[in-house]
Amino acid sequence: MVFIRFSGVILAVVLGFSVSAQTDRSKIWLTWEHIRPNPELCQKKNLCRPISHYVTRLFEEPSVQRARAIIGSLDALAAKRGRPVSAENPPKICQNVNAIKVLGFDPESWPLSKKLDALRGIKGVHFDLHKLKPPVGFVGDFGGGLQAVVEQKFHRAGLKVLSKAEMEKTPGQPRLNIYFSNTNPETGCHFSIFASFSQTVLLTRNHTVKLRAGTWGMSGGFSADFPDRGEFDAILVVVDKLLADYRKANGKKPPDSG
């Protein structure tokens, strides 16, 4: 790799070889390193120091002989300009797990976000309530009925209901899970509900670790204040809270507020 720096910009020529028993190929890549502050980071996080931004394009797929001639010409040009052939601190082409070098800033320097920030910018959510076990004595399609009502609530809130396939292609893979336990007449324990909104996240200490984690949650169930409220409606209370928090995080008004 040969680097030429022009007032804060590095033009890098990268020579790559792909060798197997049957092929011997060469590729020459041009990489532009533009060192500048990130306006969004500067405005939102007050991180205004210059960081590297890279743009890479495939320049040519030459023969080995031509590739060597190109690199030789660049070496000669660098020597003519009085610059070293090998630049200081070149970008890493191999996998780099140092978050500071890859991201351009130390993620641990960011303050913790507000919990509702996890709902900001969400465009759609996947959920499937069809398999929820109905309460004892319930007649009808408990899960299917819930699915239909919750879908209507999401549509009114401006959130798309994603299929599983759509969710897997959506950044963050947003998914809502609802867990429900029935009332146990033998023990006297009332029904309980837990909802978890999960997304994919990266660890700040190691950005190469990607996990699915709950970024919003709420529990509910039987309430002595509303003794006649059944399991179906109690689940909707939890869903309504999620949608209320979504609207608050995104500055949206409730559908009936005009």
Side-chain angles (χ1 to χ4, degrees):
M1 184 188 302
V2 176
F3 298 86
I4 304 174
R5 184 183 294 272
F6 298 96
S7 60
V9 176
I10 293 179
L11 182 64
V13 180
V14 185
L15 177 62
F17 292 97
S18 176
V19 182
S20 69
Q22 298 176 334
T23 62
D24 184 347
R25 299 174 57 203
S26 300
K27 293 182 179 180
I28 297 225
W29 302 85
L30 290 179
T31 297
W32 171 30
E33 180 185 16
H34 190 180
I35 305 173
R36 59 179 174 81
N38 182 309
E40 185 175 3
L41 286 177
C42 187
Q43 180 180 5
K44 295 183 178 181
K45 300 294 184 179
N46 199 31
L47 296 172
C48 302
R49 65 178 178 83
I51 60 177
S52 295
H53 303 260
Y54 296 96
V55 178
T56 300
R57 297 289 185 269
L58 179 62
F59 177 70
E60 188 175 340
E61 296 190 45
S63 64
V64 173
Q65 291 78 10
R66 174 164 171 74
R68 287 174 177 162
I70 292 173
I71 296 301
S73 298
L74 289 172
D75 290 349
L77 179 62
K80 183 177 180 180
R81 294 179 174 178
R83 299 181 181 275
V85 172
S86 298
E88 297 180 1
N89 301 318
K92 299 290 185 181
I93 301 302
C94 59
Q95 185 181 22
N96 192 325
V97 297
N98 186 313
I100 297 177
K101 291 183 178 179
V102 173
L103 302 177
F105 61 92
D106 179 5
E108 297 291 1
S109 68
W110 284 28
L112 289 175
S113 299
K114 297 179 181 178
K115 290 184 178 180
L116 292 191
D117 287 346
L119 300 177
R120 185 182 302 162
I122 297 294
K123 304 298 183 184
V125 180
H126 170 70
F127 56 88
D128 187 354
L129 309 179
H130 290 92
K131 295 183 179 179
L132 281 180
K133 187 177 179 180
V136 176
F138 185 90
V139 178
D141 185 2
F142 181 74
L146 266 174
Q147 181 77 22
V149 173
V150 175
E151 284 186 3
Q152 291 175 1
K153 287 179 174 291
F154 270 69
H155 288 314
R156 287 199 297 269
L159 274 170
K160 182 180 179 181
V161 177
L162 304 175
S163 67
K164 184 179 180 183
E166 289 174 327
M167 179 267 291
E168 292 173 346
K169 296 178 182 179
T170 299
Q173 299 184 7
R175 182 169 67 192
L176 173 65
N177 287 320
I178 294 181
Y179 307 94
F180 166 65
S181 64
N182 276 303
T183 296
N184 189 332
E186 296 181 0
T187 63
C189 293
H190 293 290
F191 67 88
S192 62
I193 300 161
F194 178 71
S196 173
F197 178 78
S198 65
Q199 303 176 75
T200 52
V201 299
L202 303 181
L203 295 181
T204 54
R205 65 174 177 82
N206 183 351
H207 71 285
T208 66
V209 177
K210 176 183 175 182
L211 303 169
R212 173 170 288 279
T215 56
W216 182 94
M218 181 181 174
S219 58
F222 174 80
S223 171
D225 295 331
F226 303 95
D228 296 330
R229 185 169 63 195
E231 293 88 339
F232 194 103
D233 290 334
I235 291 175
L236 295 183
V237 168
V238 174
V239 171
D240 287 341
K241 175 59 176 173
L242 170 62
L243 295 177
D245 284 348
Y246 162 77
R247 287 190 289 266
K248 183 177 180 180
N250 291 275
K252 295 178 178 287
K253 295 182 180 179
D256 58 351
S257 65

